[in-house]
Amino acid sequence: MPRIRISTTVSDELLTQARAALPGLNDATLVDRALEALCAEHRAAEIDRSYAAYDVIPLDTEDEWGNLAELLDAAASA
């Protein structure tokens, strides 16, 4: 993957904490890890929001496939 150079300032305390948490890693790798964690957190939040519809519709609501409550009961007893 191509790399790009970034230039920024960060909190001295935060950088010190990150370096202590992952000793031996260079700052570029720390920033890579931080960006990966940020993206993963964002994706997890997207997935959580997509399941919010299930909080609005009761599990025992019938549709063309039956209802989710019965499916969960059957899976739990299997």
Side-chain angles (χ1 to χ4, degrees):
M1 169 184 335
R3 313 257 320 153
I4 63 167
R5 177 175 288 281
I6 63 171
S7 176
T8 187
T9 57
V10 296
S11 161
D12 181 51
E13 182 179 328
L14 186 58
L15 183 57
T16 299
Q17 288 175 352
R19 286 174 173 162
L22 298 167
L25 295 183
N26 62 35
D27 291 349
T29 303
L30 288 174
V31 171
D32 280 344
R33 294 261 187 110
L35 291 173
E36 288 168 0
L38 175 67
C39 290
E41 182 180 315
H42 178 72
R43 179 64 182 134
E46 282 182 327
I47 292 168
D48 288 347
R49 282 190 303 275
S50 72
Y51 281 96
Y54 294 106
D55 295 333
V56 175
I57 301 170
L59 292 179
D60 60 354
T61 300
E62 291 289 330
D63 62 18
E64 56 269 17
W65 295 292
N67 71 61
L68 192 53
E70 290 177 2
L71 175 67
L72 294 173
D73 288 342
S77 64

